[in-house]
Amino acid sequence: MERYDPTSIEAKWQQVWATERSFHVPNPDLGAADARAPKSYVVEMLPYPSGDLHMGHTLNYTIGDVITHLRRRRGFNVLRPMGYDAFGLPAENAAIKEGGHPRTVTERNIASIREQMHRMGWAIDWGREISTSDPEYYRWTQWLFLRFFERGLAYRKEAPVKWCPNDQTVLANEQVIDGHCERCGAEVEAKSLTQWFFRITQYADELLDEMELLEQWPDRVLTMQRNWIGRSKGARVTFRVEGSGEELPVFTTRPDTLFGATFFVLAPEHPLVSQLVVGSEHEAEVLDYVRRTAARSEVEREGKEKDGSFTGRYAINPVNSESIPIWVADYVLMGYGTGAIMAVPAHDERDHAFAERYGIEIRAVVRPADGDEPEDGGAFSAHSADEVLVNSGEFTGLPSPEGKERIVEWLEERGLGEATIGYRLRDWLLSRQRYWGCPIPILHCASCGEVPVPNDQLPVVLPDIADYVPKGRSPLAAAEDWVRTTCPQCGGPAQRETDTMDTFVDSSWYYIRYTDPNNDALPFDRRIADYWLPVNQYIGGVEHAVLHLLYARFFTKVMNELGLCSFREPFARLFNQGMITARGAKMSKSKGNVVNPLDFADRYGADTVRVYTLFMGPADEDMDWQDTGLEGVWRFLNRLWRVAHEQAARPAGGPGDGALARRAHRTIAKVTDDIERRFSFHTPIAAVMELVNEIQRNPDDPAARFATETAVSLIQPYAPHVAEELWGVLGEGRLWEQPWPEAAADMLVEDVVEIVVQVNGKVRERLHVAPGTGDETLLALALASEKVQAHVGGKEFRKTIVVPDRLVSLVV
Ligand SMILES: [Zn+2]
Ligand SMILES: [Zn+2]
């Protein structure tokens, strides 16, 4: 028997798979029989082409590989492609550091990561590879942008935006995590700029309501999306500025507390602020406050002690005509609601803190139905259905939910407000002031305004420029020859848009392009897309819950309405993998504990790395890499190697229906069920390990050879190279083309029976024995039990009854 040498085995099979294009899956002949064959579309979130494959990739793509192999062998027509999210900051920043061009860096990284993927032996259809920075791809990103533009779903407006001072570009709300840039961690700043947006808010209801199509998504992702969209029922209520009559609309989810509004707050960016104070004694102080808050980040604004500045003006509360002071305070954000609030300090914590600080009246207007009258000055917000209104004029005494409705009706009758639905979701800010991105296909013409680049002039190719370092405005603006062009509508001079698209636009539709990657007439053929999609299994990190996963759903809905595809949701089933720490700590270069999967693949083989990556624990939880654990897997594969060679020397007889044969069948059932139904990838490995132990204990069992073949077959999705090699040792054919083993139902029964032992009619013991164990043996086993002895201890038997396979009854 040769020694297990993963290096030569893995190179050999990788060569076979590459030259034979073993995992290439052509599109079905639509309309022919194979279009009706069950299909399965497996997609992992596409990687940024950083130079090195890291553990996150290894986990993600090994999960995808296991599912791909399993489904292929179960008879599905499985598509499993790969591509690169190649535009964006990582490549551009790397290029700036090295002094190269982002395209050069990107191409080099793609070549390197592709090579490393081959080295891991993943079963990818390389015939469908795409790169989002390829003009043949981004031509269609631009084409889709123009369809959005035609429908009013892409538009430009001046708005307060989040600015990353480090990356020198704006960010989408979704890219700001607790006030910091999602990519580089820098604290973001506020700016007012003219930017491009996608009108994702128009799809807020569909994004919420169509979650019912996502039964196989993790609950936490659905909850995060639901909270991010933040739909709430409430009312739009119009306050007016005393004196001028200017309207001040607010959105509130608690119209039942309107009588408790004792002050009014405008965000510092609210356009009315300067107008309200102009020429007044408060002007200097208020404008100074506005200036100071502009420098604060959103975190500072939300976290710090609430402060503000009084404008000297008053607002009229529509329900009771009271004049309440108007303040400017930065705990109110312009980006949410109307940028103005009615403040109800008795029932809102932030309003309460503010009122206490500035000595503003705190008036309770709801109280628990069974509680005491609340004291003014206290704050509570039970938000329960059991509250009743107090101090609320004609509405006093009404239960809160009814009070809400009646007050809104009252406002509607008088034209002072209306029932409405509010959302937390904002439009998606898609333009970036960076070079390495997809150009926005729009021209600016002095007489025609924003003009779309005609379809036949796509793609608008990203020009080569010498200096692409960000300086706060798009580096493309410096490419004057490129910027200057002719308006296709009036023939006059026009200028190209110089901002580029956020990379999240590129990745919002790539999973459909895979199905038809060479189409040069359309982004994809509708019939082909409809055959493959929705994606049956999507795999990626939970960090994309309100970024990519929300954007892709939005894009799909729009593409559906454009008639490009018939599905409404892109991903039927989603799996979020966990994070891998190393030897107890988060991996980081500074700690020097980064585990490079390829280093271990060189020493132990890719199979060992693949198996261990999934063996560490439940793949949807965080897992810790331990070198000793990896060595354990290495020893297991060596044991499998020896067992397979030993068994290959034995005659292949019928396995029979003994214990080991049953054990093998139960293992088949467990592995299949754990992966397909329970998303559990570590337990199947443990089950195969136990089966191999069992074979080692009973090498002469008539089923040992069958059990060995089963173990090799079941481990194939995890360790495809060594499994392939051992399959050849045990018999004929190629394992990756073999049908997945099926468990025989009658072999799944545990091969033991339970015998109840009674003493004087009471159950004292349960024995587990092989079926058909003889009466004498059963009686001897019963009497050998300590529990039984405790009740018969030396006494004489009046009667003993033995029912085979069921019962031993002793009467003393
Ligand atoms: Zn940043
Ligand atoms: Zn024009």
Side-chain angles (χ1 to χ4, degrees):
M1 177 182 27
E2 287 169 43
R3 181 177 65 88
Y4 171 38
D5 172 22
T7 311
S8 62
I9 291 171
E10 291 177 1
K12 168 179 146 192
W13 290 110
Q14 284 159 16
Q15 186 63 44
V16 172
W17 297 329
T19 49
E20 296 189 9
R21 304 182 77 206
S22 306
F23 304 113
H24 174 59
V25 181
N27 281 329
D29 177 4
L30 295 164
D34 69 343
R36 291 187 297 273
K39 66 91 184 176
S40 187
Y41 186 18
V42 180
V43 185
E44 299 100 325
M45 289 182 189
L46 85 177
Y48 286 110
S50 61
D52 290 318
L53 201 67
H54 57 67
M55 281 312 302
H57 297 131
T58 307
L59 176 59
N60 193 338
Y61 306 141
T62 306
I63 294 170
D65 220 47
V66 167
I67 294 172
T68 298
H69 278 299
L70 177 63
R71 295 217 178 136
R72 281 175 59 91
R73 293 181 55 200
R74 292 186 76 201
F76 288 87
N77 192 24
V78 183
L79 175 59
R80 197 283 188 99
M82 187 55 70
Y84 312 98
D85 196 7
F87 271 138
L89 298 187
E92 192 175 315
N93 288 340
I96 290 167
K97 218 160 133 187
E98 296 173 18
H101 190 282
R103 181 177 296 112
T104 318
V105 172
T106 302
E107 281 168 4
R108 191 190 63 208
N109 284 349
I110 287 177
S112 156
I113 205 164
R114 184 194 292 122
E115 182 55 40
Q116 295 171 64
M117 287 181 174
H118 276 290
R119 176 70 191 87
M120 292 303 292
W122 289 317
I124 290 163
D125 181 351
W126 292 105
R128 295 169 181 271
E129 202 179 17
I130 56 177
S131 167
T132 58
S133 64
D134 180 346
E136 278 312 301
Y137 180 85
Y138 70 69
R139 169 186 180 184
W140 299 109
T141 306
Q142 294 173 339
W143 187 91
L144 286 166
F145 175 91
L146 292 177
R147 305 291 84 76
F148 281 56
F149 179 76
E150 286 161 2
R151 305 199 132 209
L153 294 172
Y155 68 95
R156 211 161 72 116
K157 70 165 179 192
E158 176 165 350
V161 295
K162 312 290 190 319
W163 176 266
C164 175
N166 185 34
D167 291 321
Q168 291 278 305
T169 184
V170 298
L171 301 171
N173 284 326
E174 289 82 1
Q175 288 167 309
V176 181
I177 314 292
D178 295 330
H180 295 262
C181 170
E182 171 247 353
R183 180 147 310 285
C184 73
E187 206 165 291
V188 300
E189 297 168 359
K191 271 196 181 186
S192 192
L193 289 171
T194 301
Q195 294 292 310
W196 285 95
F197 292 86
F198 279 134
R199 211 178 290 282
I200 191 173
T201 51
Q202 194 168 311
Y203 287 79
D205 285 325
E206 281 97 332
L207 288 166
L208 281 171
D209 298 339
E210 287 171 358
M211 279 188 195
E212 52 181 62
L213 301 170
L214 307 178
E215 281 169 36
Q216 294 176 310
W217 277 42
D219 284 338
R220 63 173 171 168
V221 174
L222 296 178
T223 303
M224 285 166 80
Q225 290 205 354
R226 209 173 278 122
N227 293 342
W228 185 258
I229 297 166
R231 178 165 67 189
S232 55
K233 269 170 89 171
R236 194 178 161 92
V237 184
T238 309
F239 284 64
R240 278 174 197 281
V241 179
E242 192 177 54
S244 74
E246 191 98 41
E247 291 191 354
L248 289 172
V250 298
F251 173 79
T252 174
T253 56
R254 296 292 311 266
D256 52 325
T257 64
L258 256 167
F259 284 84
T262 54
F263 63 106
F264 195 94
V265 186
L266 295 174
E269 303 85 0
H270 197 287
L272 263 188
V273 170
S274 52
Q275 200 179 314
L276 284 178
V277 296
V278 66
S280 82
E281 54 176 312
H282 296 275
E283 185 172 9
E285 197 185 319
V286 167
L287 295 185
D288 181 54
Y289 177 77
V290 170
R291 257 191 306 278
R292 274 186 290 128
T293 57
R296 292 176 182 162
S297 71
E298 213 162 280
V299 199
E300 275 179 311
R301 288 173 63 158
E302 287 182 331
K304 70 176 176 64
E305 210 184 319
K306 313 294 169 234
D307 63 8
S309 184
F310 177 46
T311 61
R313 302 293 296 270
Y314 292 83
I316 310 285
N317 185 340
V319 287
N320 55 10
S321 302
E322 267 184 25
S323 294
I324 57 175
I326 302 176
W327 287 71
V328 176
D330 70 352
Y331 75 94
V332 175
L333 303 174
M334 196 59 215
Y336 295 114
T338 60
I341 62 156
M342 62 172 209
V344 183
H347 307 298
D348 180 280
E349 268 181 47
R350 298 189 310 167
D351 296 346
H352 189 262
F354 193 87
E356 286 218 303
R357 175 165 184 171
Y358 294 103
I360 303 171
E361 185 195 353
I362 297 169
R363 186 194 304 156
V365 289
V366 289
R367 66 167 173 83
D370 53 357
D372 296 328
E373 200 72 26
E375 277 175 42
D376 279 354
F380 88 95
S381 49
H383 294 279
S384 83
D386 296 335
E387 293 167 5
V388 293
L389 272 58
V390 295
N391 296 325
S392 295
E394 64 181 278
F395 306 101
T396 298
L398 289 178
S400 224
E402 199 187 328
K404 256 185 206 178
E405 280 179 29
R406 292 274 300 278
I407 288 178
V408 172
E409 279 167 22
W410 189 94
L411 289 166
E412 282 179 338
E413 280 163 18
R414 287 158 184 78
L416 298 168
E418 59 188 349
T420 160
I421 306 226
Y423 300 88
R424 188 175 174 274
L425 184 67
R426 301 290 103 199
D427 277 342
W428 168 14
L429 200 179
L430 73 104
S431 44
R432 295 292 178 273
Q433 292 69 52
R434 295 290 298 238
Y435 168 70
W436 190 235
C438 175
I440 296 174
I442 292 286
L443 310 174
H444 300 283
C445 167
S447 34
C448 310
E450 288 156 0
V451 179
V453 172
N455 290 331
D456 61 7
Q457 289 175 27
L458 298 181
V460 175
V461 177
L462 187 65
D464 275 321
I465 57 173
D467 183 9
Y468 47 84
V469 176
K471 294 173 189 69
R473 66 166 196 159
S474 177
L476 282 181
E480 286 170 18
D481 290 347
W482 179 81
V483 172
R484 261 197 311 273
T485 183
T486 308
C487 172
Q489 285 179 12
C490 71
Q495 295 186 318
R496 290 189 188 279
E497 171 64 52
T498 56
D499 282 357
T500 54
M501 296 188 210
D502 179 14
T503 55
F504 280 110
V505 182
D506 309 329
S507 58
S508 286
W509 72 282
Y510 75 98
Y511 48 88
I512 316 185
R513 181 70 180 175
Y514 280 146
T515 66
D516 195 12
N518 301 315
N519 195 327
D520 57 8
L522 278 171
F524 46 84
D525 183 314
R526 175 179 177 139
R527 291 166 310 158
I528 298 172
D530 284 351
Y531 170 77
W532 286 114
L533 279 100
V535 172
N536 297 80
Q537 182 65 65
Y538 199 40
I539 309 162
V542 73
E543 67 273 17
H544 290 291
V546 296
L547 289 156
H548 164 63
L549 289 169
L550 192 66
Y551 298 150
R553 294 185 60 215
F554 161 62
F555 252 66
T556 300
K557 292 178 198 313
V558 178
M559 289 189 285
N560 169 265
E561 283 159 30
L562 287 166
L564 296 171
C565 61
S566 64
F567 44 91
R568 295 279 299 168
E569 286 288 342
F571 313 121
R573 181 163 145 166
L574 171 70
F575 184 81
N576 292 131
Q577 84 269 16
M579 203 181 63
I580 299 180
T581 54
R583 301 144 192 143
K586 196 176 167 176
M587 284 189 214
S588 77
K589 275 186 190 151
S590 59
K591 282 193 204 116
N593 68 342
V594 175
V595 174
N596 181 339
L598 269 299
D599 289 349
F600 283 94
D602 287 345
R603 271 156 61 198
Y604 295 92
D607 282 335
T608 292
V609 175
R610 294 169 51 122
V611 175
Y612 178 58
T613 302
L614 290 179
F615 188 59
M616 279 185 268
D620 56 349
E621 291 172 17
D622 292 348
M623 301 179 278
D624 190 50
W625 177 280
Q626 299 284 349
D627 296 352
T628 51
L630 181 91
E631 280 154 20
V633 167
W634 162 248
R635 285 194 299 274
F636 159 66
L637 291 181
N638 275 282
R639 206 157 65 238
L640 181 64
W641 178 268
R642 287 194 302 275
V643 166
H645 280 84
E646 283 159 20
Q647 291 297 328
R650 290 167 194 261
D657 61 356
L660 187 57
R662 285 171 186 273
R663 181 62 175 257
H665 278 275
R666 285 205 306 280
T667 309
I668 295 169
K670 181 175 173 54
V671 170
T672 314
D673 188 66
D674 280 4
I675 298 171
E676 284 284 23
R677 209 172 51 76
R678 299 180 51 231
F679 279 133
S680 178
F681 298 94
H682 62 305
T683 48
I685 302 169
V688 174
M689 287 175 168
E690 283 166 29
L691 180 61
V692 173
N693 289 346
E694 212 53 44
I695 299 164
Q696 284 188 297
R697 274 196 284 274
N698 306 283
D700 302 322
D701 190 292
R705 166 102 189 216
F706 165 74
T708 306
E709 287 166 8
T710 302
V712 168
S713 184
L714 293 178
I715 208 68
Q716 182 267 347
Y718 293 86
H721 315 86
V722 66
E724 203 58 53
E725 190 69 20
L726 293 177
W727 191 256
V729 169
L730 287 160
E732 297 283 298
R734 298 161 137 188
L735 183 49
W736 79 85
E737 291 169 350
Q738 298 298 310
W740 187 249
E742 275 190 52
D746 61 334
M747 295 289 278
L748 297 180
V749 189
E750 291 267 350
D751 206 13
V752 290
V753 289
E754 184 176 272
I755 310 288
V756 168
V757 184
Q758 294 179 340
V759 181
N760 290 343
K762 286 209 170 103
V763 177
R764 299 297 182 190
E765 177 68 297
R766 291 169 197 277
L767 303 171
H768 295 98
V769 299
T773 304
D775 292 8
E776 253 107 283
T777 315
L778 287 179
L779 192 57
L781 284 168
L783 289 173
S785 156
E786 280 181 20
K787 289 184 204 160
V788 173
Q789 274 303 320
H791 293 93
V792 298
K795 292 176 199 145
E796 265 191 44
F797 296 115
R798 286 184 30 218
K799 214 156 93 182
T800 60
I801 304 165
V802 178
V803 183
D805 291 359
R806 308 248 328 250
L807 177 83
V808 176
S809 178
L810 309 169
V811 181
V812 296

